[in-house]
């Protein structure tokens, strides 16, 4: 949410530009900042008469889970509700809101029994419906972004921006909520079988109470729709080294069922199913890694890395499990996750071990008890090797960067996603964590990318869309053979033909001409 | 009288002016890369005053300023309105469209009753429902209102439930279809569409249907009826008018004019058109406000009272009235009609007649006086005489034989079809549909693509200057400048370079042909 004084709609636009520059962004925003300064100067004498305006970003209003079968009789409606955020909401209002969702879903079945409603648009908010398991409904209610103005009489008026929110983005966020729950708790029906409604309610409460606080709805964008995995580009030699490292560890510890290897928040190797890796990757990169960033940045003598002193052989440490191997009294446990198995789901311990920028995840069946001895063994085997590998990869990475020449601000930025291997690449996002997504382009351009993505998802055909925005940026979207590419070009005076040539060059250099459609 | 009739003009202006986001962008559009084509100088721009109320491609759906205050029957419109009582007793000689058309409603249209639980009913491309605030069915495009009364009850329940939370329901989205709600008190309109149209486009279509109903009753009467009896069955008053709504929905699916808020003209040598216009201008009468000559769904000419402008929506409603009733062919029709964008409170009286029974040429004379039938009939005779004297009639007849032109006239091989709208004149031109788009299904598909482009370039918060869409069946391009809107459809083999060249060539061609394709010098009495 940003609060600011302003007098015209035009100025509102500049302020939004200004918000980005606070995060120190690309060159073309300098212009916006300058414009903002001039405007400030222009309007400041009239500030007294200016209308006060406050801008509000989209926020989470409600989030609930219900099952219509649990309270079918009148008077028992409350039983349908399994989780409701915020919990303070009065009981009758909860029942009313759940009732509306039921009615909407039921109503749309009149027109298509198999494809019920996915979202409801109202003036003030949008509701997203998702039925992840039969009869279990998850609903997320997002308040539309709005502007609050105080007019000359001093009366506040609110204007809702109804077309700012893109359905596919928030629909994907809701599905992510479920997938994240499932990763740590298994399915809803599993909890029902294990301990009935009470256990499910308890699990939902524990999980979503914390998880919902990490949802940052204002920074959701196209990348949430893809939910892809960023892969680390690597030469063959180094890749083989990593693979032999993984094989060696798995051979030494036959308990390990799956392994995943990441460098710099990017995936290099994974033995998990794609869909499991996708959600685990999301957890690691947006939640676990950012939480453990500080000790590495801290100096050697800093109290934040106490256990480092005694261990000069390597930089390895556990991100999950025992925080300090030297302390025999310290209790520890590994988080459990649920992944796809031949017969439904299997429960696993998740061990995440990190040395410098290299991280490796080992997954071991939850039925095995993991002892301190095991951790020590793993530490002494993996620690030194991973430290070595990390510096190898780092060196290789720097060599490659030098070869590709000094980095200069390119004329274009792009997002690429491959539906087959979930590979995603973005030069638009600086860094994506749970709390902030730093993009280098104006939010409206990001939304145009979202619009193009919606257009693509409607037909299963190869398509290309080139648009020129009102700000004169060109945006190109290409969909070909399960791959999608979105390019934003900062060549305002270019024409359609030149833009096409530029994108062709980009495809040739970055993607080996995988996009054939002219 | 004239001032009286036009008392709503101010309201329109503010309404159009309140399209805030677009308003902001207008200034930006004027420094578009085509300096020669600023508004008013683009091909097809009228030389003098425009004929129409100046509108953008989208009606503002949020500004309700025009209504509400009209509910007082003794209000400003009372001088021109016909009270409802008069409507229920059709005037003696002339044919009123709603009352007398019911028996001869087209056999294919409403006759069969659909099973509302069948796959076929569910699979309909676009459903439209109209209901009263009491949840009573008023209209359904497919299936009888009786069979759907419970569904409509649910619709009303959803609307009021959301309203109870001081909120407004807009739409429901599911895989492959949307449900759009439009609340225009005292009516509620609901559309269910399996098309790619945006929520906004669908709302605009519902607004058309709303105005269609208002045009038969006036909003004043509509409010009055429901104030008196909340659960009144409006079908009793609208009986026989369903085919008008059916036909309007068909037009919305096929006619780019309704999408663009523009009208297309019958291609005609400007000398001939000038003779017709001046003949029509000369055949004036005291209470005559608009004289409109149509050829099919194209405009031949329009003469208006000075300072009185017709809104596209009203003209399209007139087109629809003429196009969906065959009775006007049998003689001179005399019908009260409300032009809701002009004034929702009162009736005009329209004299509608074909120049010849077998011809497509239809003359509509719109008057403020309900006793004016013989006067207007006389106007028509004077117009015809003058036309014959100046021997313009054969040329006009000749032109109606080829009401359109093939796209090949433009001489761009890759170009399959286009729609060009001159913003300042509110007129558009478009060639006849070529080979792959001649079936009804393909025609609607092409229109669907244009609707898609239109909704993207005119997005409320993220409008675009241009969009190029390259698909497997065709390539499309839309370009909006301060002066014009252009939508092009190319063969899928066409390249972007060819498309860019085609635009320039096409604009030159339109400029060359503009005095044939557009009405450049509109007339007033």
């Amino acid at each position: 949410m940003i609060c600011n004084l302003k007098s015209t709609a035009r100025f509102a636009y500049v302020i939004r530009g200004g918000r980005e520059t606070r995060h120190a962004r690309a060159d073309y925003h300098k212009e916006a900042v300058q414009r903002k300064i001039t405007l400030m100067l222009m309007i400041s004498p009239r500030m007294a008469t200016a209308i006060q305006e406050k801008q509000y970003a989209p926020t989470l209003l409600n989030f609930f889970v219900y099952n219509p079968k649990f309270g079918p009789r009148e008077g028992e409606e409350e039983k349908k509700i399994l989780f409701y955020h915020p919990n303070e909401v009065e009981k009758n209002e909860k029942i009313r809101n759940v009732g509306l969702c039921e009615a909407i879903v039921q109503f749309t079945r009149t027109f298509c029994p198999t494809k019920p409603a996915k979202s409801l648009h109202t003036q003030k908010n949008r509701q997203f419906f998702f039925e992840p398991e039969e009869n279990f409904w998850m609903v997320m209610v997002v308040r539309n972004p709005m502007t609050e103005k105080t007019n000359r009489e001093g009366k506040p008026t609110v204007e809702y921006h109804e077309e700012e929110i893109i359905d596919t983005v928030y629909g994907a966020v809701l599905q992510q909520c479920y997938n994240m729950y499932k990763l740590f708790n298994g399915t809803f029906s599993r909890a029902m079988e294990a301990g009935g409604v009470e256990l499910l309610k308890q699990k939902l409460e524990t999980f979503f109470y914390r998880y919902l606080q990490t949802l940052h709805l204002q920074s959701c964008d196209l990348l949430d729709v893809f939910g892809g995995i960023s892969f680390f580009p690597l030469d063959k030699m180094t890749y083989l080294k990593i693979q032999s490292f993984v094989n060696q560890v798995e051979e030494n510890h036959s308990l390990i069922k799956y392994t995943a290897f990441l460098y710099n928040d990017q995936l290099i190797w994974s033995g998990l199913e794609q869909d499991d890796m996708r959600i685990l990757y999301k957890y690691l990169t947006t939640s676990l890694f950012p939480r453990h960033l500080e000790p590495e940045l801290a100096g050697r003598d800093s109290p934040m890395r106490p256990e480092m002193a005694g261990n000069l052989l390597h930089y390895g440490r556990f991100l999950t499990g025992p925080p300090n191997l030297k302390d025999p009294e310290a209790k520890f446990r590994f988080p459990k996750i649920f992944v796809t198995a031949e017969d439904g789901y299997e429960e696993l311990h998740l061990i995440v071990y990190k040395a410098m920028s290299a991280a490796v995840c080992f997954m071991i069946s939850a039925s095995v008890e993991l002892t301190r001895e095991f951790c020590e063994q793993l530490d002494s085997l993996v620690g030194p090797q991973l430290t070595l590998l990390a510096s190898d990869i780092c060196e290789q990475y720097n060599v490659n960067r030098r070869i590709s020449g000094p980095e200069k601000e390119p004329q274009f930025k792009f997002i690429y996603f491959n539906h087959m291997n979930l590979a995603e690449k973005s030069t638009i996002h600086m860094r994506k964590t749970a709390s902030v997504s730093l993009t280098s382009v104006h939010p409206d351009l990001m939304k145009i990318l979202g619009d193009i993505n919606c257009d693509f998802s409607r037909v299963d055909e190869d398509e290309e869309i080139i648009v020129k925005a009102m700000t004169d940026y060109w945006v190109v979207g290409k969909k070909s053979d399960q791959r999608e590419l979105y390019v934003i070009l900062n060549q305002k005076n270019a024409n359609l033909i030149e833009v096409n040539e530029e994108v062709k060059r980009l495809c040739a250099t970055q993607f080996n001409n995988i996009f054939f459609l002219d | 009288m004239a001032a009286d009739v036009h008392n709503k003009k101010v309201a329109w202006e503010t309404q159009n002016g309140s399209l805030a986001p677009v308003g902001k962008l207008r200034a930006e559009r004027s420094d578009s890369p085509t300096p020669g084509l600023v508004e008013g100088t683009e091909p097809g721009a009228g030389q003098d005053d425009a004929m129409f109320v100046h509108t953008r491609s989208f009606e503002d759906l949020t500004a309700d300023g025009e209504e509400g205050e009209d509910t007082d029957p003794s209000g400003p419109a009372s001088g021109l309105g016909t009270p409802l009582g008069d409507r229920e007793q059709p005037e003696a000689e002339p044919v009123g469209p709603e009352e007398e058309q019911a028996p001869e409603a087209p056999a294919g249209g409403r006759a069969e009753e659909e099973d509302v639980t069948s796959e076929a009913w569910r699979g309909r491309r676009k459903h439209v429902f109209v209901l009263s605030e009491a949840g009573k069915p008023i209209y359904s495009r497919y299936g009888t209102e009786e069979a759907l009364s419970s569904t409509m009850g649910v619709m009303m329940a959803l609307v009021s439930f959301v309203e109870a939370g001081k909120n407004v329901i807009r739409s429901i989205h599911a895989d492959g279809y949307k449900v759009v709600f439009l609340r225009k008190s005292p009516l509620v309109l609901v559309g269910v569409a399996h098309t790619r149209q945006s929520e906004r486009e669908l709302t605009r279509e519902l607004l058309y249907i709303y105005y269609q109903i208002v045009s038969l009753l006036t909003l004043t009467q509509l409010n009055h009826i429901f104030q008196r009896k909340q659960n009144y069955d409006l079908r009793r008053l609208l009986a026989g008018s369903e085919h008008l709504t059916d036909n309007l929905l068909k037009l919305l699916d096929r006619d780019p004019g309704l999408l663009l808020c523009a009208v297309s003209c019958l291609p005609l040598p400007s000398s001939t058109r000038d003779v017709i216009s001046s003949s029509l201008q000369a055949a004036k009468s005291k209470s005559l406000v608009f004289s409109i000559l149509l050829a099919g769904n194209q405009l031949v000419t329009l003469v208006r009272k000075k300072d009185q402008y017709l809104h596209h929506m009203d003209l399209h409603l007139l087109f629809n009235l003429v196009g969906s009733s065959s009775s006007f062919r049998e003689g001179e029709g005399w019908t009260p009609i409300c032009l809701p964008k002009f004034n929702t409170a009162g009736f005009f009286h329209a004299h509608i007649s074909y120049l010849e029974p077998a011809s497509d040429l239809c003359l509509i004379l719109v008057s403020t006086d309900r006793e004016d039938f013989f006067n207007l009939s006389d106007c028509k005779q004077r117009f015809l005489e003058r036309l014959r004297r100046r021997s313009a009639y054969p040329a006009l007849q000749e032109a109606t034989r080829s009401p359109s032109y093939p796209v090949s006239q433009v001489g761009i091989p890759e170009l399959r079809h286009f729609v060009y709208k001159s913003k300042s004149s509110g007129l558009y031109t478009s060639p006849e549909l070529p080979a792959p788009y001649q079936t009804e299904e393909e025609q609607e598909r092409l229109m669907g693509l244009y609707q898609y482009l239109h909704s993207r370039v005119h997005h409320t918060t993220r409008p675009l200057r241009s969009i190029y869409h390259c698909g497997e069946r065709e390539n499309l391009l839309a370009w909006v400048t301060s002066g014009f809107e252009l939508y092009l459809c190319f063969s899928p083999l066409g390249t972007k370079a060819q498309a860019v060249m085609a635009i320039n060539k096409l604009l030159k061609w339109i400029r060359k042909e503009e005095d044939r394709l557009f009405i450049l010098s509109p007339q007033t009495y």
Side-chain angles (χ1 to χ4, degrees):
Chain A
M1 187 188 86
I2 52 164
C3 306
N4 244 314
L5 266 179
K6 64 194 174 107
S7 61
T8 61
R10 175 133 196 90
F11 191 44
Y13 166 76
V14 175
I15 283 184
R16 262 186 276 142
R19 177 180 55 175
E20 273 159 46
T21 53
R22 218 184 299 152
H23 298 308
R25 257 352 70 183
D27 283 348
Y28 39 79
H29 281 298
K30 280 183 188 153
E31 195 191 308
V33 177
Q34 274 156 10
R35 236 180 328 151
K36 178 186 169 184
I37 293 166
T38 18
L39 266 163
M40 283 280 219
L41 292 173
M42 275 162 52
I43 64 152
S44 51
R46 290 188 286 119
M47 220 45 144
T49 57
I51 300 163
Q52 243 184 352
E53 270 192 29
K54 268 184 188 173
Q55 301 259 342
Y56 295 92
T59 47
L60 183 70
L61 275 186
N62 296 125
F63 186 100
F64 46 92
V65 182
Y66 71 91
N67 186 326
K69 301 277 178 230
F70 287 0
R73 263 167 302 189
E74 210 157 313
E76 290 185 345
E77 288 88 353
E78 202 187 359
K79 290 188 182 166
K80 294 175 186 173
I81 307 170
L82 301 168
F83 172 76
Y84 202 103
H85 165 87
N87 194 30
E88 300 78 53
V89 170
E90 196 238 332
K91 183 182 117 185
N92 283 331
E93 201 194 321
K94 287 180 184 171
I95 291 172
R96 278 167 53 86
N97 288 342
V98 168
L100 175 65
C101 297
E102 278 188 80
I104 295 278
V105 166
Q106 205 49 43
F107 167 66
T108 49
R109 289 199 204 271
T110 324
F111 299 99
C112 191
T114 52
K115 289 175 188 159
K118 291 179 89 178
S119 73
L120 167 71
H121 297 197
T122 68
Q123 182 198 18
K124 293 183 181 174
N125 57 49
R126 284 215 189 164
Q127 317 203 357
F128 299 89
F129 312 112
F130 179 46
E131 187 187 19
E133 295 171 41
E134 202 185 350
N135 290 320
F136 285 98
W137 286 86
M138 295 174 77
V139 181
M140 179 169 80
V141 187
V142 181
R143 198 201 52 215
N144 283 327
M146 57 182 197
T147 311
E148 199 181 79
K149 293 177 192 172
T150 313
N151 61 14
R152 296 224 157 76
E153 290 87 59
K155 275 189 196 152
T157 54
V158 173
E159 187 194 327
Y160 292 92
H161 307 292
E162 297 183 40
E163 292 196 54
E164 288 289 328
I165 289 180
I166 297 175
D167 273 8
T168 47
V169 171
Y170 291 92
V173 170
L174 180 59
Q175 294 188 22
Q176 237 169 44
C177 288
Y178 172 71
N179 289 332
M180 203 59 94
Y181 170 88
K182 199 177 67 174
L183 179 69
F184 291 105
N185 297 282
T187 58
F188 295 157
S189 5
R190 184 186 162 274
M192 286 295 294
E193 283 158 25
V197 182
E198 282 317 305
L199 181 69
L200 178 59
K201 278 187 177 174
Q202 191 194 322
K203 277 183 175 290
L204 288 168
E205 185 68 42
T206 325
F207 179 80
F208 283 113
Y209 176 73
R210 288 212 352 239
Y211 185 73
L212 293 181
Q213 293 175 357
T214 67
L215 278 186
H216 290 266
L217 295 181
Q218 67 273 29
S219 53
C220 294
D221 61 30
L222 188 58
L223 284 194
D224 291 286
V225 177
F226 294 145
I229 297 170
S230 175
F231 287 93
F232 189 80
L234 209 58
D235 64 305
K236 279 202 187 83
M237 253 335 272
T238 325
Y239 185 77
L240 285 174
K241 274 188 201 166
I242 291 166
Q243 209 170 19
S244 83
F245 161 76
V246 170
N247 288 341
Q248 193 202 341
V249 179
E250 286 188 353
E251 226 161 82
N252 268 303
H253 294 274
S254 54
L255 285 173
I256 297 171
K257 286 196 91 165
Y258 309 100
T259 310
F261 194 105
L262 295 95
Y263 185 85
N264 238 355
D265 288 7
Q266 290 176 300
L267 188 67
I268 294 178
W269 202 91
S270 156
L272 276 178
E273 288 282 336
Q274 245 176 35
D275 278 329
D276 291 325
M277 192 58 229
R278 155 193 257 177
I279 194 72
L280 179 63
Y281 177 80
K282 169 95 187 159
Y283 165 70
L284 293 173
T285 54
T286 61
S287 177
L288 187 71
F289 292 164
R291 269 189 278 134
H292 290 84
L293 215 54
E294 293 77 13
E296 254 139 63
L297 297 176
R300 207 162 234 282
D301 304 323
S302 152
M304 282 176 83
R305 55 196 306 180
E307 77 274 31
M308 227 45 172
N311 196 348
L312 294 168
L313 291 171
H314 64 82
Y315 290 101
R317 66 197 173 98
F318 285 97
L319 296 194
T320 61
N324 188 355
L325 281 173
K326 295 283 167 288
D327 178 4
E329 296 307 314
K331 287 216 165 51
F332 68 90
R333 57 176 283 273
F334 290 100
K336 285 181 187 145
I337 60 167
F338 292 79
V339 301
T340 334
E342 278 145 27
D343 49 347
Y345 279 86
E346 61 180 321
E347 196 175 352
L348 302 167
H349 290 292
L350 174 66
I351 303 170
V352 184
Y353 191 88
K354 199 173 180 190
M356 300 194 285
S357 291
V360 61
C361 307
F362 300 111
M363 282 148 273
I364 295 174
S365 173
S367 53
V368 180
E369 202 187 325
L370 296 180
T371 59
R372 173 168 304 280
E373 288 67 47
F374 173 82
C375 294
E376 276 164 4
Q377 273 178 26
L378 196 67
D379 180 62
S380 59
L381 173 71
V382 174
Q385 288 200 55
L386 194 61
T387 310
L388 215 62
L389 267 177
S391 64
D392 270 9
I393 300 168
C394 180
E395 202 172 298
Q396 194 59 47
Y397 178 63
N398 287 335
V399 167
N400 287 346
R401 277 230 304 217
R402 239 172 282 133
I403 291 168
S404 65
E407 269 191 56
K408 59 171 201 263
E409 182 79 357
Q411 285 294 296
F412 52 78
K413 294 184 178 287
F414 69 86
I415 293 180
Y416 166 84
F417 180 68
N418 183 339
H419 287 271
M420 282 176 292
N421 62 1
L422 307 181
E424 103 188 345
K425 191 171 179 185
S426 166
T427 63
I428 289 173
H429 297 77
M430 302 291 140
R431 185 162 62 100
K432 180 134 185 158
T433 67
S435 57
V436 268
S437 155
L438 301 181
T439 60
S440 52
V441 301
H442 192 275
D444 278 355
L445 281 175
M446 282 311 291
K447 283 176 188 149
I448 290 177
L449 296 188
D451 291 338
I452 295 177
N453 171 259
C454 289
D455 296 342
F456 282 161
S457 59
R458 260 178 249 178
V459 207
D460 193 24
E461 278 177 13
D462 287 1
E463 278 183 295
E464 178 175 9
I465 294 173
I466 304 179
V467 309
K468 192 180 196 201
M470 278 300 165
T471 46
D472 281 329
Y473 281 98
W474 286 90
V475 180
V476 181
K478 271 170 179 274
K479 185 176 89 168
S480 170
D481 193 24
Q482 303 285 316
R483 295 176 178 90
E484 289 180 37
L485 174 68
Y486 300 84
V487 190
I488 298 175
L489 290 109
N490 180 22
Q491 285 160 306
K492 303 193 174 185
N493 294 320
N495 66 24
L496 187 65
I497 302 167
E498 288 155 0
V499 166
N500 192 44
E501 289 304 314
E502 191 65 40
V503 174
K504 266 190 186 163
R505 260 198 298 281
L506 169 73
C507 289
T509 54
Q510 300 265 349
F511 302 104
N512 291 321
N513 286 316
I514 47 178
F515 293 98
F516 299 114
L517 208 67
D518 181 44
Chain B
M1 189 69 210
D4 202 307
V5 163
H6 204 62
N7 63 60
K8 287 289 136 195
K9 193 185 169 215
V10 180
W12 299 339
E13 283 169 358
T14 49
Q15 181 191 359
N16 291 333
S18 72
L19 265 174
V22 184
K24 185 188 91 184
L25 294 157
R26 255 169 76 76
E28 289 171 23
R29 266 193 184 151
S30 58
D31 35 75
S32 70
T34 48
L37 293 173
V38 287
E39 188 157 9
T41 60
E42 77 276 9
Q47 284 159 359
D48 310 311
D49 227 353
M51 282 175 290
F52 301 114
V53 176
H54 197 90
T55 52
R56 307 204 194 296
S57 248
F58 260 122
E59 281 306 311
D60 185 5
L61 305 174
T62 51
D64 280 326
E66 65 201 292
E67 286 126 11
E69 70 262 40
D70 292 337
T71 44
D72 179 12
S74 65
S78 55
L80 116 114
T82 312
L84 185 70
D86 288 0
R87 273 198 79 68
E88 284 170 334
Q89 311 152 347
E91 271 119 88
E93 61 264 81
V95 188
E98 321 71 42
E99 289 88 350
E100 311 222 343
Q101 234 115 74
E104 52 176 299
R110 294 249 113 210
E112 74 240 69
E113 284 173 12
E114 286 193 40
D115 175 7
V116 299
T117 53
S118 68
E119 262 324 296
W121 184 82
R122 286 189 190 127
R124 291 287 190 180
R125 202 165 158 270
K126 196 182 287 166
H127 286 277
V128 172
F129 308 93
V130 183
L131 41 143
S132 72
E133 282 170 332
K136 266 215 167 26
I138 295 171
Y139 169 83
S140 162
R141 189 180 191 183
Y142 306 110
T144 61
E145 292 86 21
E146 287 80 13
L148 289 162
S149 65
S150 67
T151 305
M152 296 207 206
V154 174
M155 289 171 180
M156 193 58 230
L158 292 176
V159 170
S160 15
F161 190 92
V162 174
E163 275 175 14
K166 295 198 171 55
N167 201 349
V168 187
I169 191 168
R170 302 283 195 221
S171 57
I172 302 171
H173 299 242
D175 269 335
Y177 66 98
K178 295 181 186 75
V179 186
V180 177
F181 295 82
L182 176 67
R183 179 81 142 84
K184 289 296 260 184
S185 189
L187 303 182
V188 175
L189 297 99
V190 182
V192 180
H194 293 264
T195 61
R196 289 180 70 161
Q197 284 165 291
S198 66
E199 177 182 333
R200 198 151 156 249
E201 302 264 358
L202 291 166
T203 313
R204 197 179 49 92
E205 296 195 358
L206 293 179
L207 195 64
Y208 255 109
I209 303 302
Y210 165 77
Y211 282 131
Q212 161 63 35
I213 291 169
V214 170
S215 80
L216 298 173
L217 297 173
T218 75
L219 184 65
T220 312
Q221 294 302 343
L222 202 58
N223 282 327
H224 192 60
I225 292 164
F226 285 106
Q227 268 159 22
R228 237 178 4 195
K229 200 175 166 208
Q230 221 195 345
N231 62 349
Y232 183 81
D233 187 353
L234 197 66
R235 282 179 301 163
R236 276 170 34 202
L237 269 183
L238 294 176
S241 74
E242 294 91 344
H243 68 286
L244 288 176
T245 312
D246 290 347
N247 196 63
L248 182 60
L249 283 166
K250 220 176 275 171
L251 278 183
L252 283 164
D253 283 339
R254 289 177 202 167
D255 190 336
L258 282 80
L259 173 71
L260 297 173
C261 275
V263 181
S264 81
C265 308
L266 179 75
L268 202 61
S270 59
S271 54
T272 313
R273 200 183 314 267
D274 289 346
V275 171
I276 299 165
S277 302
S278 59
S279 305
L280 205 51
Q281 183 189 24
K284 61 182 169 188
S285 156
K286 196 171 127 274
S287 52
L288 198 57
V289 189
F290 300 111
S291 308
I292 305 155
L293 185 61
L294 302 180
N297 57 355
Q298 291 180 306
L299 187 64
V300 179
T301 187
L302 184 153
V303 184
R304 58 181 175 82
K305 209 172 197 111
K306 229 183 166 83
D307 302 328
Q308 305 299 324
Y309 296 87
L310 194 57
H311 192 284
H312 300 92
M313 240 172 181
D314 291 339
L315 187 57
H316 283 302
L317 292 178
L318 282 171
F319 273 50
N320 183 50
L321 175 67
V322 172
S324 45
S325 323
S326 54
S327 63
F328 296 118
R329 293 194 170 271
E330 286 151 19
E332 292 170 67
W334 180 241
T335 177
I337 182 163
C338 165
L339 298 178
K341 292 303 273 185
F342 197 106
N343 182 350
T344 52
F347 280 116
F348 281 104
H349 298 269
H351 178 280
I352 302 172
S353 63
Y354 282 83
L355 298 192
E356 276 180 281
S359 131
D360 267 345
L361 292 162
C362 180
L363 182 66
I364 306 173
L365 301 170
V366 180
S367 159
T368 52
D369 183 356
R370 72 187 170 101
E371 307 297 340
D372 221 16
F373 175 80
F374 294 104
N375 235 339
L376 296 189
S377 186
D378 179 52
C379 283
K380 182 197 172 187
Q381 290 314 319
R382 279 190 284 145
F383 166 64
L384 284 177
E385 258 163 52
R386 206 170 261 267
L387 215 54
R388 291 215 179 84
R389 231 180 14 239
R390 300 178 66 180
S391 52
Y393 196 59
L396 177 57
Q397 271 185 315
E398 180 58 37
T400 55
R401 247 168 258 137
S402 53
S404 190
Y405 51 92
V407 70
S408 58
Q409 273 191 13
V410 187
I412 304 166
E414 305 80 27
L415 185 65
R416 283 182 177 174
H417 192 251
F418 69 88
V419 183
Y420 169 91
K421 176 193 170 185
S422 148
K423 281 188 174 175
S424 58
S425 66
L427 298 169
Y428 80 92
T429 184
S430 185
E432 61 201 32
L433 289 162
Y437 307 108
Q438 276 162 350
T439 64
E440 275 183 14
E441 202 190 350
E442 281 297 298
Q443 186 187 347
E444 287 182 6
R445 194 178 69 82
L446 180 64
M447 254 307 278
L449 293 168
Y450 286 148
Q451 284 165 342
Y452 153 67
L453 296 176
H454 184 266
S455 69
R456 278 287 174 247
V457 288
H458 292 285
H459 194 281
T460 13
T461 51
R462 300 181 287 280
L464 303 170
R465 287 193 197 282
S466 67
I467 177 166
Y468 182 85
H469 179 280
C470 185
E472 284 178 0
R473 292 207 262 181
E474 57 269 297
N475 294 340
L476 303 157
L477 177 64
W479 186 26
V480 178
T481 72
S482 59
F484 62 84
E485 285 180 35
L486 183 58
Y487 302 83
L488 304 122
C489 172
F490 296 98
S491 124
L493 301 172
T495 63
K496 289 163 193 110
Q498 284 169 331
V500 172
M501 262 151 35
I503 294 179
N504 294 326
K505 196 164 175 188
L506 178 63
L507 287 175
K508 274 191 197 130
W509 182 84
I510 294 173
R511 173 65 87 193
K512 189 167 76 85
E513 300 284 325
E514 65 175 339
D515 51 2
R516 195 169 65 87
L517 301 177
F518 295 95
I519 303 172
L520 299 179
S521 38
Q523 300 291 330
T524 55
Y525 301 123

